[in-house]
Amino acid sequence: MSVALGLHPPLVVRTVPVRDPGDLISLLPGPASYTWVHHGDGLVAWGEALRVTIPPGPGRFAWARDWLAGAFGHADIDDQVRRPGSGPVAFGSFTFDPASAGSVLVVPRVVVARRDGQAWLTTVGEENLGLVTPAVPPGRIRYSDGALTAPGWEHAVATAVRHITSGELEKVVLARDLIATADTDIDPRVPLARLAARYPECYTFSVGGLIGATPELLVRHTGRAIESLVLAGTIPSGADPATLFDSPKDRYEHTCAVASVEAALKPLCAELDVPAAPELLSLPNVQHLASRVTGRLDDGASVLDVVAALHPTAAVGGTPTDDAVALIPRLERMDRGGYAGPVGWIDAQGDGEWGIALRCAQLDGPRARLFAGCGIMGGSDPAAELAEAQSKFRAMQYALEG
Ligand SMILES: C=C(O[C@H]1C=CC=C(C(=O)O)[C@@H]1O)C(=O)O
């Protein structure tokens, strides 16, 4: 596969320690930005030293890894911090469906990062902090249906339940989209700041106009240590958590998701720890069953290799995976784009953090396409799944409306 590296002069990268920069998202000078923030720490970035559109297809993660190896391998790097996320980094977003266009990697010109009390600044090429423009809230928002109306989506859920009860598959995750329209172009910095403040335990992200706050960590890769937070099984906020832990439907839905992660990671890991039972993750809009899976890689696989092995987990695809991903577009009647795809960052050592792009929207001028989905099992009630999807939409609706 051609990687057109010779076309770019080598990147000149410099990372230096800096004093605590305060709130990371408020540093973004303009709407075109890259963000990965969790509990206030993480990386924010702007400018584009390199950008590549990743060709669709089954080999897209390997293609991206090879492209990065070329770009970072030829770089002239002065990294005075030497931590995961220092030196050159690329932000990326991959579409859910390998056949869909729209996967992208960007090496920003400026990155400001903080982790565990240490902050740093990375610049690529000439240091040019750019013009600072104030972030303006989007004002009044109107909503309209995406691919399916609410009753149309309930019908799709009922059809999925029939496929499951007839024994074709065990679980399928169905999503719907909702179109939000503002009077003016939506500046992502406003919804990002709201998401990071209200959902600190989620990963607030923005890459190429895809923004959101996902609670689901696909993988964190630090040296050989990896970690994944698997979520599946949901009740509204305020409901008694016992109803979630005692629900056979939610417990089995969660078991499917954990099993898919375990099966994907086992061949890569010398050690893998999968909790025997889930815990509760409580967010302002929903509560989830959550399992933190940890492991140690047995060779030098990069975070993108691990992402490639994991995607799509049964938290966003289903069980068995192939049957579920074949059924999803037939019932959803939409292209998911970057929703439910991997989103995150990678550095020159192959370390990085990638989430599953949930509770998110794709921005396009004054328009935002919001997505929310639910794991459908044999015992799913279409009205209850619709209510769950509405609760999940609330994160982005709050981000847009305030
Ligand atoms: C597919 C989504 O959520 C997944 C992650 C957590 C819980 C889920 C559930 O209970 O259905 C979903 O598997 C979404 O938010 O769009």
Side-chain angles (χ1 to χ4, degrees):
M1 222 158 298
S2 90
V3 182
L5 286 168
L7 301 179
H8 304 288
L11 300 174
V12 178
V13 184
R14 185 172 150 83
T15 295
V16 292
V18 291
R19 283 218 311 267
D20 191 326
D23 178 59
L24 290 175
I25 290 172
S26 61
L27 299 175
L28 294 170
S33 54
Y34 305 90
T35 307
W36 181 268
V37 169
H38 179 232
H39 284 300
D41 274 1
L43 298 80
V44 291
W46 56 94
E48 283 181 12
L50 292 176
R51 180 188 190 97
V52 70
T53 301
I54 298 157
R60 62 197 178 136
F61 293 108
W63 190 96
R65 184 201 56 207
D66 292 348
W67 183 84
L68 278 170
F72 290 165
H74 290 86
D76 170 359
I77 301 171
D78 171 16
D79 180 358
Q80 297 170 23
V81 172
R82 294 182 169 273
R83 302 193 53 163
S86 68
V89 296
F91 282 76
S93 156
F94 288 84
T95 54
F96 174 80
D97 182 344
S100 294
S103 301
V104 67
L105 280 178
V106 174
V107 179
R109 293 193 81 82
V110 182
V111 180
V112 182
R114 181 180 51 230
R115 181 190 286 242
D116 304 330
Q118 183 174 10
W120 62 90
L121 166 72
T122 298
T123 51
V124 180
E126 292 289 298
E127 188 167 339
N128 176 0
L129 296 181
L131 197 63
V132 179
T133 60
V136 180
R140 196 170 61 103
I141 304 284
R142 283 154 289 130
Y143 293 98
S144 55
D145 288 326
L148 294 176
T149 61
W153 193 74
E154 285 180 289
H155 181 74
V157 171
T159 308
V161 169
R162 280 200 300 280
H163 282 279
I164 294 167
T165 50
S166 73
E168 282 169 50
L169 73 173
E170 288 187 82
K171 170 181 178 177
V172 61
V173 179
L174 288 189
R176 60 183 295 245
D177 58 345
L178 186 66
I179 308 301
T181 310
D183 293 332
T184 55
D185 286 1
I186 299 168
D187 185 326
R189 292 174 294 173
V190 175
L192 287 171
R194 288 175 180 155
L195 288 171
R198 187 163 178 134
Y199 293 88
E201 53 285 275
C202 294
Y203 297 84
T204 296
F205 61 86
S206 68
V207 178
L210 183 70
I211 71 165
T214 182
E216 189 142 10
L217 180 69
L218 186 61
V219 60
R220 171 180 295 123
H221 176 296
T222 314
R224 294 209 169 176
I226 55 166
E227 179 184 341
S228 180
L229 185 66
V230 186
L231 306 178
T234 305
I235 51 168
S237 56
D240 180 356
T243 60
L244 186 57
F245 284 95
D246 295 344
S247 155
K249 179 244 174 204
D250 287 290
R251 288 301 286 262
Y252 192 55
E253 185 181 336
H254 189 76
T255 300
C256 289
V258 173
S260 73
V261 168
E262 185 175 7
L265 292 181
K266 227 179 196 153
L268 299 178
C269 287
E271 294 162 31
L272 191 62
D273 183 48
V274 181
E279 34 182 87
L280 186 72
L281 176 68
S282 196
L283 300 171
N285 56 337
V286 286
Q287 305 177 79
H288 293 304
L289 292 177
S291 293
R292 192 171 298 281
V293 174
T294 55
R296 238 184 129 63
L297 295 168
D298 63 9
D299 68 13
S302 90
V303 71
L304 275 183
D305 298 318
V306 184
V307 167
L310 284 167
H311 178 75
T313 74
V316 285
T319 308
T321 306
D322 291 348
D323 298 306
V325 297
L327 187 59
I328 285 169
R330 280 170 49 204
L331 296 183
E332 290 182 350
R333 301 196 173 271
M334 66 171 182
D335 184 334
R336 289 183 170 189
Y339 161 73
V343 63
W345 62 269
I346 176 170
D347 69 14
Q349 274 64 50
D351 284 332
E353 294 173 292
W354 290 73
I356 302 179
L358 304 175
R359 323 296 148 83
C360 63
Q362 182 69 49
L363 303 186
D364 183 11
R367 200 167 165 272
R369 191 172 164 225
L370 282 59
F371 299 88
C374 304
I376 310 302
M377 308 297 290
S380 286
D381 166 29
E385 300 297 346
L386 181 67
E388 182 178 318
Q390 309 290 42
S391 306
K392 289 170 173 169
F393 276 134
R394 281 220 305 274
M396 271 312 302
Q397 289 180 305
Y398 164 75
L400 293 171
E401 295 170 30

